[in-house]
Amino acid sequence: QLSGQKKEAHFIAATGANKVQPLANMFRGWGLDFVVAIDDDKQGREAYKSIKKELFGDDEERAQKKLLKLPNCAGIEDAFSKPDFKKYVLKDNVADYAVCNSEYLRTNGKSKPVLAFNFALGVTDAEITWNSLDDTSKQNISEIVNALATRLN
């Protein structure tokens, strides 16, 4: 909705890379088309390798058609520029930190699901629009959305 991508997709938050594989197995068993997007951190890379091995027979080419490590994102929140993240996700323009957004959340005990839900509500209610975001956030989000869209049949 935010980026204007017309391909329909439904998202399920796995609440941790270690919980993705059972969902992927379930979707495959039900014959559903799915794409797995995971953070590019240690846990995400381990999940990627495990899913690639167990679901795609360790075939990188086949796996890349359904698996996406979020580019340059230790966490999905790193797709946002710091100013956009502070304003639209944290709703705290005075937060001051030198680390990436995902590290800030980790070290400050912020709930990713709650922040994501509130951000989604802001988008749904048109409080946050594509034009609200700066060029860095738009570029990163577009890259992720396009990568996901190309993996969907």
Side-chain angles (χ1 to χ4, degrees):
Q1 179 181 349
L2 181 65
S3 71
Q5 173 60 249
K6 299 298 181 199
K7 191 168 274 197
E8 185 176 358
H10 303 276
F11 293 87
I12 296 176
T15 63
N18 60 334
K19 298 176 184 166
V20 172
Q21 189 164 342
L23 291 172
N25 287 333
M26 182 177 65
F27 294 150
R28 178 174 265 184
W30 286 347
L32 299 174
D33 187 26
F34 67 92
V35 173
V36 173
I38 53 178
D39 297 337
D40 191 11
D41 61 2
K42 182 181 178 195
Q43 193 177 36
R45 288 187 293 274
E46 288 172 5
Y48 182 97
K49 285 172 41 178
S50 177
I51 294 168
K52 180 178 79 167
K53 180 180 178 186
E54 298 299 323
L55 267 65
F56 300 100
D58 231 6
D59 184 327
E60 183 69 27
E61 187 176 326
R62 285 180 55 220
Q64 282 187 0
K65 292 178 182 175
K66 293 294 178 188
L67 303 178
L68 173 66
K69 279 186 280 186
L70 298 174
N72 305 312
C73 292
I76 186 63
E77 50 279 359
D78 294 328
F80 293 94
S81 68
K82 279 187 187 174
D84 281 350
F85 188 72
K86 290 176 186 182
K87 184 174 184 178
Y88 300 115
V89 180
L90 291 177
K91 298 185 191 276
D92 179 359
N93 285 325
V94 296
D96 187 28
Y97 54 96
V99 296
C100 62
N101 297 330
S102 58
E103 182 63 25
Y104 176 79
L105 291 186
R106 232 182 334 275
T107 58
N108 286 277
K110 302 285 185 184
S111 171
K112 286 174 68 167
V114 169
L115 292 171
F117 180 74
N118 287 329
F119 178 80
L121 284 177
V123 171
T124 300
D125 295 342
E127 295 167 3
I128 303 168
T129 65
W130 187 246
N131 291 329
S132 303
L133 302 175
D134 65 26
D135 289 342
T136 299
S137 295
K138 285 192 239 186
Q139 180 179 340
N140 293 340
I141 291 167
S142 289
E143 186 177 336
I144 292 168
V145 168
N146 291 335
L148 291 169
T150 60
R151 285 166 171 81
L152 291 171
N153 289 332

